[in-house]
Amino acid sequence: MNQDPLGKQGGLKKGTASEPVQLYARELEGGALAVAVFNRGDKNVTSLRVNWSDVGLPAGTKVDAVRDLWAKAPMRGVTASGVVLELVEKHDTVLLRLELARRKR
């Protein structure tokens, strides 16, 4: 992730320094999107819904696939508008790669 040739820096998309959960996103080479979900809190978070709009994707953007990069596996719980994370443990991070549908020209 940190050696992506596009070299773009991620930015805070949802949450604040005082909130336990923060979402960061950055564009990757080839049009994919990297999303980091930080749980800075002292409690586990369950059933956390991450909407595509939360990470800066315009309405109607189609996401073809979501992969959990730490687990090296496709995500379950993906819908047309987002994904539900079953568990984000306290002081932990979930790192996702979103493959966006290619637009026809």
Side-chain angles (χ1 to χ4, degrees), residues 12-67:
L12 180 63
K13 298 298 181 178
K14 185 174 182 183
T16 65
S18 63
E19 292 178 283
V21 177
Q22 299 169 343
L23 302 178
Y24 287 81
R26 78 174 191 158
E27 185 181 352
L28 299 172
E29 184 177 60
L33 192 70
V35 175
V37 181
F38 291 109
N39 179 1
R40 299 173 39 150
D42 292 327
K43 296 180 181 177
N44 293 344
V45 176
T46 58
S47 300
L48 177 66
R49 179 158 188 74
V50 177
N51 293 310
W52 303 147
S53 60
D54 293 340
V55 295
L57 293 177
T61 300
K62 184 172 179 340
V63 176
D64 282 340
V66 180
R67 187 165 183 81

Side-chain angles (χ1 to χ4, degrees), residues 83-101:
V83 63
V84 176
L85 304 177
E86 294 175 17
L87 173 66
V88 183
E89 293 187 19
K90 62 183 179 180
H91 306 288
D92 202 1
T93 303
V94 174
L95 187 59
L96 306 173
R97 180 183 176 99
L98 281 56
E99 295 293 338
L100 307 181

